[in-house]
Protein backbone atom coordinates (compact mmCIF):
# COMPACT_ATOMS: atom_id res chain seq x y z
CA UNK A 1 0.00 0.00 0.00
CA UNK A 2 1.10 3.51 -0.71
CA UNK A 3 -0.16 6.97 0.07
CA UNK A 4 -2.07 8.83 -2.64
CA UNK A 5 -4.18 11.95 -2.74
CA UNK A 6 -7.87 12.01 -3.59
CA UNK A 7 -6.78 13.79 -6.80
CA UNK A 8 -4.55 10.80 -7.65
CA UNK A 9 -7.45 8.40 -7.13
CA UNK A 10 -9.82 10.45 -9.27
CA UNK A 11 -7.23 10.79 -12.04
CA UNK A 12 -6.55 7.06 -11.92
CA UNK A 13 -10.27 6.38 -12.19
CA UNK A 14 -10.48 8.65 -15.24
CA UNK A 15 -7.55 6.79 -16.79
CA UNK A 16 -9.12 3.39 -16.08
CA UNK A 17 -12.34 4.43 -17.82
CA UNK A 18 -10.46 6.01 -20.74
CA UNK A 19 -8.24 2.93 -21.14
CA UNK A 20 -11.24 0.60 -20.96
CA UNK A 21 -12.86 2.69 -23.70
CA UNK A 22 -9.71 2.26 -25.81
CA UNK A 23 -9.73 -1.51 -25.26
CA UNK A 24 -13.35 -1.69 -26.44
CA UNK A 25 -12.54 0.45 -29.51
CA UNK A 26 -9.60 -1.81 -30.40
CA UNK A 27 -11.85 -4.84 -30.12
CA UNK A 28 -14.41 -3.12 -32.36
CA UNK A 29 -11.78 -2.87 -35.08
CA UNK A 30 -11.22 -6.64 -34.89
CA UNK A 31 -14.73 -8.05 -34.60
CA UNK A 32 -16.92 -9.08 -37.49
CA UNK A 33 -20.02 -9.77 -35.39
CA UNK A 34 -22.69 -7.06 -35.40
CA UNK A 35 -24.10 -7.67 -31.89
CA UNK A 36 -20.63 -7.68 -30.37
CA UNK A 37 -19.73 -4.52 -32.30
CA UNK A 38 -22.84 -2.74 -31.04
CA UNK A 39 -22.10 -3.71 -27.44
CA UNK A 40 -18.47 -2.65 -27.83
CA UNK A 41 -19.61 0.70 -29.20
CA UNK A 42 -21.95 1.14 -26.23
CA UNK A 43 -19.23 0.14 -23.73
CA UNK A 44 -16.65 2.43 -25.32
CA UNK A 45 -18.96 5.46 -25.20
CA UNK A 46 -20.09 4.49 -21.72
CA UNK A 47 -16.51 4.40 -20.40
CA UNK A 48 -15.61 7.66 -22.14
CA UNK A 49 -18.64 9.37 -20.58
CA UNK A 50 -17.62 8.11 -17.15
CA UNK A 51 -14.12 9.46 -17.67
CA UNK A 52 -15.59 12.86 -18.59
CA UNK A 53 -17.92 12.77 -15.60
CA UNK A 54 -14.99 12.09 -13.28
CA UNK A 55 -13.11 15.00 -14.82
CA UNK A 56 -16.06 17.30 -14.07
CA UNK A 57 -16.31 15.94 -10.52
CA UNK A 58 -12.58 16.53 -10.02
CA UNK A 59 -12.95 20.10 -11.27
CA UNK A 60 -15.80 20.72 -8.80
CA UNK A 61 -14.18 19.21 -5.68
CA UNK A 62 -12.42 21.57 -3.31
CA UNK A 63 -8.62 21.62 -3.29
CA UNK A 64 -8.78 20.69 0.39
CA UNK A 65 -10.46 17.39 -0.46
CA UNK A 66 -8.31 16.76 -3.55
CA UNK A 67 -5.14 17.16 -1.49
CA UNK A 68 -6.30 14.77 1.26
CA UNK A 69 -3.95 11.79 1.59
CA UNK A 70 -5.07 8.17 1.86
CA UNK A 71 -3.33 4.85 2.08
CA UNK A 72 -4.51 2.78 -0.85
CA UNK A 73 -3.35 0.48 -3.60
CA UNK A 74 -3.98 1.91 -7.04
CA UNK A 75 -4.32 -0.33 -10.07
CA UNK A 76 -4.67 -0.18 -13.84
CA UNK A 77 -7.16 -1.43 -16.38
CA UNK A 78 -4.60 -4.07 -17.47
CA UNK A 79 -4.42 -5.41 -13.92
CA UNK A 80 -8.21 -5.33 -13.56
CA UNK A 81 -8.64 -7.23 -16.82
CA UNK A 82 -5.81 -9.63 -15.92
CA UNK A 83 -3.79 -8.82 -18.99
CA UNK A 84 -6.96 -8.72 -21.07
CA UNK A 85 -7.05 -12.48 -21.60
CA UNK A 86 -10.59 -12.17 -22.96
CA UNK A 87 -9.52 -9.56 -25.55
CA UNK A 88 -9.66 -11.38 -28.87
CA UNK A 89 -11.51 -10.92 -32.17
CA UNK A 90 -14.07 -13.60 -31.32
CA UNK A 91 -14.93 -12.17 -27.89
CA UNK A 92 -18.45 -13.08 -26.82
CA UNK A 93 -21.11 -10.83 -25.34
CA UNK A 94 -20.72 -12.66 -22.03
CA UNK A 95 -16.94 -12.12 -22.00
CA UNK A 96 -17.51 -8.41 -22.68
CA UNK A 97 -20.00 -8.17 -19.85
CA UNK A 98 -17.54 -9.91 -17.52
CA UNK A 99 -14.81 -7.45 -18.51
CA UNK A 100 -17.05 -4.42 -17.99
CA UNK A 101 -18.27 -5.68 -14.62
CA UNK A 102 -14.70 -6.33 -13.44
CA UNK A 103 -13.84 -2.70 -14.18
CA UNK A 104 -16.95 -1.50 -12.33
CA UNK A 105 -16.35 -3.81 -9.37
CA UNK A 106 -12.71 -2.77 -9.05
CA UNK A 107 -13.67 0.90 -8.90
CA UNK A 108 -16.56 0.25 -6.52
CA UNK A 109 -14.13 -1.58 -4.21
CA UNK A 110 -11.62 1.27 -4.44
CA UNK A 111 -14.26 3.91 -3.68
CA UNK A 112 -15.67 1.93 -0.76
CA UNK A 113 -12.17 1.63 0.67
CA UNK A 114 -11.57 5.34 0.20
CA UNK A 115 -14.91 6.20 1.87
CA UNK A 116 -14.09 4.00 4.85
CA UNK A 117 -10.67 5.65 5.23
CA UNK A 118 -11.82 9.25 4.63
CA UNK A 119 -10.90 11.68 7.37
CA UNK A 120 -13.58 14.22 6.47
CA UNK A 121 -17.30 13.94 5.87
CA UNK A 122 -16.89 15.69 2.51
CA UNK A 123 -14.39 13.13 1.24
CA UNK A 124 -16.52 10.28 2.58
CA UNK A 125 -19.57 11.71 0.81
CA UNK A 126 -17.59 12.11 -2.43
CA UNK A 127 -16.56 8.46 -2.45
CA UNK A 128 -19.98 7.21 -1.38
CA UNK A 129 -21.44 9.18 -4.30
CA UNK A 130 -18.88 7.60 -6.62
CA UNK A 131 -19.89 4.15 -5.35
CA UNK A 132 -23.51 4.97 -6.25
CA UNK A 133 -22.46 6.30 -9.66
CA UNK A 134 -20.51 3.14 -10.48
CA UNK A 135 -23.27 0.87 -9.18
CA UNK A 136 -25.82 2.68 -11.38
CA UNK A 137 -23.49 2.44 -14.37
CA UNK A 138 -23.02 -1.26 -13.66
CA UNK A 139 -26.79 -1.71 -13.89
CA UNK A 140 -26.84 0.15 -17.24
CA UNK A 141 -24.12 -2.15 -18.55
CA UNK A 142 -26.04 -5.27 -17.55
CA UNK A 143 -29.24 -3.92 -19.11
CA UNK A 144 -27.41 -3.12 -22.34
CA UNK A 145 -25.92 -6.61 -22.41
CA UNK A 146 -29.29 -8.21 -21.81
CA UNK A 147 -30.84 -6.16 -24.57
CA UNK A 148 -28.04 -7.17 -26.95
CA UNK A 149 -30.14 -10.20 -27.79
CA UNK A 150 -32.76 -7.81 -29.17
CA UNK A 151 -30.30 -6.05 -31.51
Amino acid sequence: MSFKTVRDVLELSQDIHRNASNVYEQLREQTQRERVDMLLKFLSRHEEELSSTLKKITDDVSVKILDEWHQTELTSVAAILDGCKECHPDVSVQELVNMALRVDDALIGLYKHMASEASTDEARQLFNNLVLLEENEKIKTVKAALSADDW
Side-chain angles (χ1 to χ4, degrees):
M1 290 248 171
S2 60
F3 286 92
K4 300 292 180 187
T5 64
V6 170
R7 179 181 285 107
D8 294 333
V9 172
L10 294 175
E11 288 173 356
L12 168 81
S13 298
Q14 288 175 51
D15 287 344
I16 287 173
H17 285 299
R18 195 171 24 258
N19 290 335
S21 176
N22 291 338
V23 166
Y24 298 136
E25 279 300 315
Q26 290 170 4
L27 286 170
R28 278 192 76 207
E29 293 171 7
Q30 299 173 15
T31 189
Q32 299 296 316
R33 296 179 8 235
E34 188 174 344
R35 280 184 39 219
V36 171
D37 181 66
M38 291 176 74
L39 183 57
L40 285 165
K41 185 176 181 179
F42 167 83
L43 290 172
S44 178
R45 275 192 312 220
H46 179 80
E47 294 294 342
E48 199 57 48
E49 287 172 10
L50 281 168
S51 180
S52 296
T53 299
L54 283 166
K55 172 73 172 118
K56 291 175 189 170
I57 289 170
T58 302
D59 291 345
D60 291 341
V61 173
S62 73
V63 173
K64 176 185 167 193
I65 299 301
L66 291 174
D67 290 341
E68 188 176 295
W69 288 88
H70 292 266
Q71 187 174 8
T72 188
E73 191 63 41
L74 300 182
T75 190
S76 68
V77 76
I80 293 168
L81 297 179
D82 193 22
C84 210
K85 291 177 183 171
E86 295 170 329
C87 298
H88 53 82
D90 294 326
V91 65
S92 70
V93 168
Q94 187 58 51
E95 288 171 319
L96 287 173
V97 171
N98 291 343
M99 288 169 50
L101 294 181
R102 277 202 309 273
V103 171
D104 291 337
D105 288 340
L107 289 169
I108 289 168
L110 173 63
Y111 298 151
K112 284 182 177 181
H113 170 76
M114 295 296 291
S116 72
E117 298 291 320
S119 60
T120 63
D121 288 337
E122 293 140 320
R124 189 173 302 104
Q125 186 63 42
L126 168 66
F127 286 109
N128 283 331
N129 287 342
L130 290 173
V131 167
L132 292 174
L133 172 69
E134 286 292 338
E135 287 174 342
N136 287 330
E137 296 304 318
K138 185 176 175 179
I139 291 168
K140 286 182 189 177
T141 299
V142 170
K143 285 181 179 179
L146 290 174
S147 69
D149 289 331
D150 300 333
W151 297 338

